[in-house]
Amino acid sequence: MNKLLITILMLPSVVLAQLNVSSNTIFKTGNDLVMATNGDIVNNGTVTFGSNAVLNLDGDLTLDLASGLTVPILNIINGGNRSLQSGSLTVTEQLNLTSGVLTVSAVSSMTLNANIQINEFDGTSWIGGPLTHLGNGEKFFPLGANGTYAPIQLDNVTGTGDISTTMSVRAGGVSLGTLPTNVSAASNSWAWDFTSTNFSGSGVNIPVLPQDEGLFADENVIGVVLEYDQQGGAVRNLGGFGSSLTTFNSIISNDALIGDSRVLLLGSELALTPIIHNILTPNDDGSNDYLIIDAIAAYADDNEVIILDRWGVEVYRKRNFKNFNDTDNPYDGSFDSLSPGNYICILKYAGTTAKQMITVLN
């Protein structure tokens, strides 16, 4: 059977409004391939990209990849909507989300290789639909749905053999029934679907999207990650503490995600035991700039905070400490002068004394 070999090696980039690779055809390029607005990529043959080659998806496009497509670097650029209607798309080295959305249909698949570099830009570009990450370690999923960027991160995927983890986000929570003890409410705005193979466990980092901010309006609650088993209906509280995920506030689970098929969502837990955050980075970047103690508001008139350096010298003391905020208690710069290193934070409240080592970083 004859095969037609089309090789593009002369130009630094090739701009096409439409690429149609028919059966028994090999399309080969070692350069940038730019798919312009209102085109189609149809692959029923073989497309081969050279090392570090780039596929730019520019504007409104449809992709029909019955024979699959593997590209080292994929750029989503210049706005518009791309639709992966069938087949598989694999990115091996780098995914750059500049502007625009790539929607993955239920009958297609998009896969990111292990150790891939993902670059986000202004939160207007994302993957809609299921996205699969291979391998273990930290896995970031730049997902979105219904016009909202909703990324999620698995902090330390562990397992054996070939690990394949798929995440997707959906608007609307799930019908939970009975919540775990001390969980006062759960999101009905967003949920993330998780499936994996050869998976042992991972921490989870979920963004607090605007629709869910009301869950944490009460100072006496903290954000927690909930793990919902769709088959058994059971809800597990993975705990949580505040952090940041890209440009969003987020909640990181204290316990590891378990099982190979779950739905993840946010909940709020009534916190009566204060929790001292153990990281300070007083660099005015909006994350960990000052000391935070979860549930301290429950003891607003009966607490004292003392911080000692590693030699036992007192560097901070505050009676009736309350968390800083942008309204009635703006940050006063109390921690800006602390040198990098380890300190001991002593919290006295309601006749109880708690201690926590905190680390100050540049």
Side-chain angles (χ1 to χ4, degrees), residues 26-330:
I26 299 174
F27 180 94
K28 196 170 186 178
T29 176
N31 303 277
D32 292 1
L33 180 62
V34 179
M35 294 305 303
T37 303
N38 299 324
D40 299 281
I41 300 179
V42 180
N43 179 28
N44 293 300
T46 301
V47 176
T48 303
F49 285 87
S51 178
N52 298 318
V54 179
L55 174 62
N56 293 308
L57 299 183
D58 179 350
D60 298 326
L61 297 167
T62 60
L63 293 86
D64 180 3
L65 307 177
S67 296
L69 187 66
T70 298
V71 60
I73 301 173
L74 179 66
N75 293 333
I76 308 298
I77 59 176
N78 295 335
N81 295 292
R82 296 91 178 157
S83 175
L84 177 56
Q85 295 184 340
S86 65
S88 62
L89 174 62
T90 300
V91 186
T92 61
E93 298 176 12
Q94 190 173 132
L95 172 63
N96 298 315
L97 297 159
T98 302
S99 179
V101 175
L102 172 58
T103 301
V104 181
S105 73
V107 296
S108 58
S109 65
M110 182 173 179
T111 301
L112 305 179
N113 275 12
N115 302 316
I116 191 172
Q117 179 180 344
I118 300 175
N119 296 316
E120 308 163 277
F121 293 86
D122 59 4
T124 64
S125 185
W126 58 76
I127 306 300
L131 179 62
T132 300
H133 250 307
L134 304 181
N136 54 22
E138 183 178 286
K139 299 298 174 186
F140 179 70
F141 297 81
L143 302 174
N146 282 14
T148 299
Y149 184 43
I152 187 171
Q153 181 171 292
L154 301 181
D155 291 326
N156 185 27
V157 173
T158 58
T160 58
D162 296 326
I163 304 174
S164 173
T165 303
T166 301
M167 300 291 307
S168 60
V169 61
R170 50 171 149 153
V174 291
S175 179
L176 294 177
T178 303
L179 294 173
T181 302
N182 216 34
V183 174
S184 56
S187 170
N188 60 5
S189 299
W190 295 91
W192 289 260
D193 293 282
F194 161 88
T195 57
S196 190
T197 58
N198 301 324
F199 172 86
S200 297
S202 176
V204 183
N205 193 346
I206 296 182
V208 181
L209 300 175
Q211 295 90 335
D212 284 332
E213 289 179 352
L215 287 172
F216 316 116
D218 187 339
E219 271 196 335
N220 294 319
V221 303
I222 60 174
V224 291
V225 176
L226 303 180
E227 177 190 66
Y228 174 60
D229 183 347
Q230 291 192 95
Q231 294 182 339
V235 181
R236 179 171 176 242
N237 181 359
L238 301 184
F241 60 93
S243 182
S244 62
L245 177 65
T246 65
T247 58
F248 298 101
N249 292 325
S250 64
I251 304 299
I252 300 178
S253 62
N254 289 323
D255 298 330
L257 168 69
I258 58 173
D260 56 7
S261 180
R262 291 291 188 274
V263 176
L264 304 170
L265 68 161
L266 290 180
S268 55
E269 179 183 80
L270 183 61
L272 297 179
T273 301
I275 299 174
I276 304 169
H277 290 214
N278 62 356
I279 297 292
L280 282 178
T281 57
N283 54 11
D284 199 29
D285 68 349
S287 176
N288 301 315
D289 287 332
Y290 40 77
L291 179 67
I292 296 175
I293 304 177
D294 292 334
I296 194 62
Y299 310 93
D301 300 321
D302 187 15
N303 78 75
E304 185 175 26
V305 173
I306 304 167
I307 297 179
L308 308 177
D309 66 16
R310 60 179 177 173
W311 294 283
V313 177
E314 182 179 308
V315 296
Y316 179 83
R317 181 184 290 262
K318 178 69 173 179
R319 187 176 295 277
N320 295 334
F321 175 91
K322 63 182 295 187
N323 288 324
F324 296 102
N325 56 57
D326 294 331
T327 54
D328 63 332
N329 189 34

